[in-house]
Amino acid sequence: MKANELIQKNRFELSLPEQKTIAFICSMIKPVDNKENSLQMEYDFSIRDYCKVCGLDYNNGNNYADIKTILKKLSDRSMWLDDGNGEVIVRWLAKARVNKRSGLAKIEIDRDLAPYLFDLGQRFTQYQLNNILAMKSAFSIRIYELMKSYSFQKSKTFDIDELKHLLMVENVKSYSNYKDFRIYVLEKAQSEINELTDIKITLEPIFKGRKVVKVKFLIEEKTAFERAKSIARTNIILNKAN
């Protein structure tokens, strides 16, 4: 669906804290009890929990300012969405409120965007929010999602240009050199995915002459023991940050 493609594109223009915020929000979205095709629009959550998800230091004195900045940016970001009945301007958040005394935040989802966020939420439920909490690179989240979507195939090969387009770096000059793209995007993501998530990936460059033209990803599901170790590692990183 065109609308879903638009949501995906705009989501990956977000900063790392903003991406984690959307993931956090998506994981909360649920249908209203006993009401068909109706979604809950307002959600309360602990600011301490939110800081943990976004990698913010809850005790550094700036957490409320940081939270307000992130939520404001999401509220200010708008896009045209074709919902089948014409085009409508939507925002990631319709409203946000933080209460320092109670330690709670309250958000309201944009009603027209809510069904698409719910669809994203179903995917976040499948691979668990915990797998991305400690990631430091926005590319890690994107590549992890791609790898999970192809994990049933055990491998996936991308043309370099196609992969850069999917990661929205096709016009970034510093990544025009494959070596830099490999080191600062692919290998960084590989390291975080292998350390923190429920899968392991291996990169295999495919050459045409001396030039790398494709990258093959080998995707392997971790054992229960390996997944437990990754969860423990994530918890250690998050506890140090908070």
Side-chain angles (χ1 to χ4, degrees), residues 34-51:
N34 302 319
K35 289 188 178 181
E36 189 175 355
N37 298 321
S38 182
L39 297 173
Q40 183 176 326
M41 294 294 109
E42 296 184 351
Y43 297 88
D44 296 319
F45 55 87
S46 161
I47 291 174
R48 181 183 289 274
D49 291 343
Y50 175 83
C51 285

Side-chain angles (χ1 to χ4, degrees), residues 27-81:
S27 72
M28 293 190 294
I29 295 177
K30 59 185 179 181
V32 177
D33 292 339
N34 302 319
K35 289 188 178 181
E36 189 175 355
N37 298 321
S38 182
L39 297 173
Q40 183 176 326
M41 294 294 109
E42 296 184 351
Y43 297 88
D44 296 319
F45 55 87
S46 161
I47 291 174
R48 181 183 289 274
D49 291 343
Y50 175 83
C51 285
K52 194 171 185 179
V53 168
C54 291
L56 302 176
D57 184 352
Y58 181 78
N59 300 308
N60 74 353
N62 296 321
N63 54 60
Y64 282 89
D66 292 339
I67 290 165
K68 287 166 64 178
T69 296
I70 294 168
L71 295 180
K72 184 178 186 302
K73 286 181 178 179
L74 286 174
S75 182
D76 289 345
R77 288 181 184 269
S78 62
M79 54 192 149
W80 284 100
L81 179 68

Side-chain angles (χ1 to χ4, degrees), residues 140 143-144 146-148 154 186-195 197 199-204 216-222:
S140 298
I143 292 175
Y144 173 66
L146 285 171
M147 295 302 101
K148 285 296 286 185
K154 308 299 182 183
L186 300 183
E187 290 182 352
K188 187 171 184 179
Q190 178 187 23
S191 177
E192 289 198 314
I193 289 168
N194 291 351
E195 180 185 14
T197 77
I199 60 174
K200 294 182 287 186
I201 64 172
T202 304
L203 307 175
E204 291 186 356
K216 182 177 183 179
F217 292 84
L218 303 179
I219 311 161
E220 180 184 352
E221 296 286 344
K222 288 182 179 177

Side-chain angles (χ1 to χ4, degrees), residues 82-208:
D82 186 344
D83 62 359
N85 296 310
E87 293 182 284
V88 58
I89 289 181
V90 297
R91 293 175 174 81
W92 291 106
L93 296 177
K95 186 180 293 185
R97 182 188 301 273
V98 295
N99 189 317
K100 196 169 185 177
R101 291 189 300 275
S102 68
L104 295 175
K106 184 173 186 175
I107 58 166
E108 182 179 341
I109 306 298
D110 188 302
R111 187 168 300 276
D112 291 302
L113 191 63
Y116 306 104
L117 292 182
F118 180 71
D119 288 342
L120 285 174
Q122 298 306 293
R123 291 173 50 216
F124 276 109
T125 300
Q126 289 174 17
Y127 63 68
Q128 300 181 349
L129 186 59
N130 191 77
N131 284 313
I132 68 170
L133 295 188
M135 289 182 172
K136 303 297 184 184
S137 168
F139 297 123
S140 298
I141 297 176
R142 178 56 170 148
I143 292 175
Y144 173 66
E145 286 195 308
L146 285 171
M147 295 302 101
K148 285 296 286 185
S149 69
Y150 291 109
S151 61
F152 69 98
Q153 297 180 188
K154 308 299 182 183
S155 68
K156 176 63 178 176
T157 301
F158 294 95
D159 291 332
I160 291 295
D161 290 343
E162 175 192 12
L163 185 57
K164 288 182 179 180
H165 176 73
L166 288 169
L167 298 175
M168 302 181 68
V169 296
E170 65 268 37
N171 296 318
V172 179
K173 290 183 179 179
S174 57
Y175 298 141
S176 59
N177 181 293
Y178 173 73
K179 181 180 178 181
D180 291 335
F181 179 60
R182 186 197 76 220
I183 293 172
Y184 298 110
V185 177
L186 300 183
E187 290 182 352
K188 187 171 184 179
Q190 178 187 23
S191 177
E192 289 198 314
I193 289 168
N194 291 351
E195 180 185 14
L196 302 171
T197 77
D198 54 352
I199 60 174
K200 294 182 287 186
I201 64 172
T202 304
L203 307 175
E204 291 186 356
I206 298 174
F207 291 84
K208 184 176 182 180

